[in-house]
Amino acid sequence: MTARTAFGFPFSVTKAGGITATGGDEAIRGKIIQVLFTAPGERVRLPEFGCGLFNLVFEGNNPVLAAAVEFTIGHALMRWMGDEITVEGVNVSHQDETVTIEVAYTQTQDQTRQAVRVHFK
């Protein structure tokens, strides 16, 4: 199998005027972050894309919300990235004013296990 190449995230242009490309785990991580931070309805041609994590910033910080966020993230990642990764687990934890989201996944292409961690204050 050949390595997949994607637009860099965040999207950028090189000094020579080309588009920055990434591959491997960096590309996967960028796509996961795009799913997490894109609100449904934000993309014109894919109105259902994303899970709207930023919409939850002003919600209460409690175990019920954490369970709902874990489910929502896992479902969105399997829907939009199910051919590239297998979600092994989503963990939402909170301490004081900080919420931490960790997504553990296995890349379908080479079966490597990785994780992405995001912190909110």
Side-chain angles (χ1 to χ4, degrees):
M1 282 187 168
T2 60
R4 295 180 183 180
T5 302
F7 292 127
F9 182 79
F11 184 83
S12 63
V13 178
T14 65
K15 290 180 181 180
I19 297 171
T20 304
T22 61
D25 192 50
E26 186 177 346
I28 296 288
R29 287 173 180 270
K31 290 178 184 180
I32 289 172
I33 290 171
Q34 288 177 53
V35 171
L36 294 178
F37 295 157
T38 302
E42 191 173 337
R43 289 198 176 176
V44 175
R45 297 196 184 261
L46 284 175
E48 296 176 354
F49 181 83
C51 71
L53 194 57
F54 282 142
N55 295 342
L56 302 172
V57 170
F58 299 107
E59 297 294 328
N61 187 357
N62 60 56
V64 174
L65 179 65
V69 170
E70 288 174 2
F71 175 80
T72 301
I73 290 171
H75 179 70
L77 289 173
M78 289 309 300
R79 179 173 183 193
W80 299 107
M81 296 187 66
D83 61 334
E84 297 179 77
I85 64 171
T86 300
V87 177
E88 301 296 337
V90 178
N91 184 38
V92 176
S93 59
H94 57 89
Q95 183 175 6
D96 300 324
E97 304 267 332
T98 302
V99 175
T100 301
I101 297 168
E102 183 172 332
V103 177
Y105 63 93
T106 301
Q107 289 185 29
T108 305
Q109 186 175 18
D110 60 8
Q111 296 299 304
T112 57
R113 294 184 66 139
Q114 301 289 332
V116 171
R117 186 175 294 136
V118 179
H119 302 284
F120 287 96
K121 282 191 169 193

